[in-house]
Amino acid sequence: MATLHYSGSRYETAAGETVLECLERHGQTVAHSCRSGICQSCLLRAVEGTVPAAAQQGLRENRKQQCYFLACMARPDNDLRIELPGEAVRLGVTVAELSRLSETVLRVRLMSDRPLVYRPGQYVTFLRPGLARSYSIASLPDEPALEFHVRQIAGGRMSGWLHAGAGIGDAFEVQGPQGECFYTAERKEQPLLLAGAGTGLAPLYGIVRDALQQGHTGAIRLYHGARTADGLYLVDDLRALAAQYPQLHYEPTTAPLLETILAGQAKWGGWRGYFCGDPALVGQLKKQLFLAGMAMRDIYADAFVPAAGSS
Ligand SMILES: Cc1cc2nc3c(=O)[nH]c(=O)nc-3n(C[C@H](O)[C@H](O)[C@H](O)COP(=O)(O)OP(=O)(O)OC[C@H]3O[C@@H](n4cnc5c(N)ncnc54)[C@H](O)[C@@H]3O)c2cc1C
């Protein structure tokens, strides 16, 4: 038997009862359908406590690592604090650094008022009065600040404030983390393809350093595209990283990204892909790399879709 903490209340499970059954018995409505671990519509997340392995069968590795589980299959033997998927924390941050990575890209480092548990490559939402915009996390959890790469957008409300209005010590709130575009170490020998244009590099910069820090042994190919050489940034840092890790191939390019990748290698079966940035490019990369043999389950992507109503 276990205690479930859910939506501000405590519920005791009966012997042999699943989390879904327990919550229903106490009048909670939880989305569900098959009740046999197949449809995954009863997905919940444990923010405290250990989830039984049987309740994570069939979930993607990224979800397992974030402690997602299926309520219909979970018979917990320890207390759990549970929330609905996608519920993210809100925390206060202050601006610690604003420095130029290129003519149009700003490195923004933020200190949070309490630790944020995240995986490099996930994103958080910056919140200012009447404004919410997502930015990908480029830092590693053991670094003191949260790092973001923000492109200046003409007339952009959030990017405009960060580029021209924000100062060191300014405080605001962020919400997150969210997203499943991050490295998992379950197959350290699997080769990785990372590709993005512009600030699509931000999550990839986090993911590649996370993979190397976790001892990834397979080949890693990192492609960063930009229309002009000015748009390529962190080139020296990434060249130094590639010199340090022989399995890392880093290629900054002003040529079309997809063509560059496919010219280097036509078949990508068995590789895992991470594609980030411009939505049209991400869509093309997903489709063409799938056609070149990459399994859909091995493709992780974050398209930087502009906020609705922002145009
Ligand atoms: C999951 C996710 C992760 C993201 N990560 C990053 C990141 O790491 N770095 C980053 O710089 N951005 C990132 N973005 C984009 C970011 O959330 C904002 O959309 C962007 O900064 C523009 O916001 P803004 O308030 O400055 O512009 P807005 O005020 O929203 O828009 C101003 C004008 O610019 C147009 N516009 C908006 N975006 C673009 C664009 N990309 N290209 C051309 N015109 C545009 C709008 O249609 C509007 O006309 C991410 C988006 C998502 C969904």
Side-chain angles (χ1 to χ4, degrees), residues 133-136 149 151 153 156-159 199 304 310-311:
R133 297 285 184 269
S134 303
Y135 294 97
S136 305
H149 304 162
R151 179 156 83 94
I153 302 282
R157 284 188 286 161
M158 185 67 84
S159 63
T199 47
F304 292 2
S310 66
S311 51

Side-chain angles (χ1 to χ4, degrees), residues 260-283:
T260 306
I261 293 168
L262 293 176
Q265 182 173 318
K267 302 274 179 222
W268 291 87
W271 285 65
R272 193 191 310 173
Y274 294 93
F275 308 132
C276 302
D278 175 67
L281 177 65
V282 167

Side-chain angles (χ1 to χ4, degrees), residues 104-106 121-126 131-138 147-163 178-179 198-203 227 233 276-279 301-311:
T104 54
V105 178
L106 194 67
Q122 289 190 293
Y123 60 90
V124 296
T125 303
F126 288 23
L131 201 57
R133 297 285 184 269
S134 303
Y135 294 97
S136 305
I137 309 174
E147 174 172 326
F148 304 89
H149 304 162
V150 179
R151 179 156 83 94
Q152 187 162 22
I153 302 282
R157 284 188 286 161
M158 185 67 84
S159 63
W161 174 70
L162 289 163
H163 276 257
Q178 282 177 282
T199 47
L201 182 64
R227 282 194 203 97
Y233 64 90
C276 302
D278 175 67
D302 254 343
F304 292 2
V305 183
S310 66
S311 51

Side-chain angles (χ1 to χ4, degrees), residues 26-183:
H26 288 95
Q28 290 285 350
T29 306
V30 178
H32 67 276
S33 182
C34 74
R35 288 184 176 271
S36 54
I38 296 166
C39 72
Q40 301 192 355
S41 53
C42 63
L43 193 72
L44 294 176
R45 182 164 177 235
V47 286
E48 268 177 47
T50 306
V51 171
Q56 292 192 308
Q57 266 179 25
L59 297 185
R60 270 185 151 201
E61 189 57 34
N62 297 41
R63 290 202 154 172
K64 287 184 189 172
Q65 291 204 4
Q66 293 178 91
C67 301
Y68 284 102
F69 69 96
L70 301 175
C72 72
M73 302 302 287
R75 292 182 173 80
D77 52 15
N78 62 100
D79 297 353
L80 292 178
R81 190 170 294 277
I82 299 169
E83 60 182 33
L84 294 170
E87 274 183 41
V89 298
R90 245 184 209 218
L91 65 170
V93 291
T94 45
V95 178
E97 181 185 329
L98 297 165
S99 56
R100 291 225 160 260
L101 289 167
S102 75
E103 190 83 349
T104 54
V105 178
L106 194 67
R107 173 181 259 157
V108 177
R109 286 198 168 119
L110 304 176
M111 299 303 290
S112 55
D113 58 11
R114 59 200 156 91
L116 177 70
V117 178
Y118 70 92
R119 300 300 312 277
Q122 289 190 293
Y123 60 90
V124 296
T125 303
F126 288 23
L127 302 168
R128 301 203 68 231
L131 201 57
R133 297 285 184 269
S134 303
Y135 294 97
S136 305
I137 309 174
S139 46
L140 301 180
D142 61 5
E143 292 173 339
L146 297 165
E147 174 172 326
F148 304 89
H149 304 162
V150 179
R151 179 156 83 94
Q152 187 162 22
I153 302 282
R157 284 188 286 161
M158 185 67 84
S159 63
W161 174 70
L162 289 163
H163 276 257
I168 304 301
D170 281 358
F172 60 101
E173 282 192 318
V174 302
Q175 182 169 309
Q178 282 177 282
E180 297 185 3
C181 193
F182 58 80
Y183 177 74

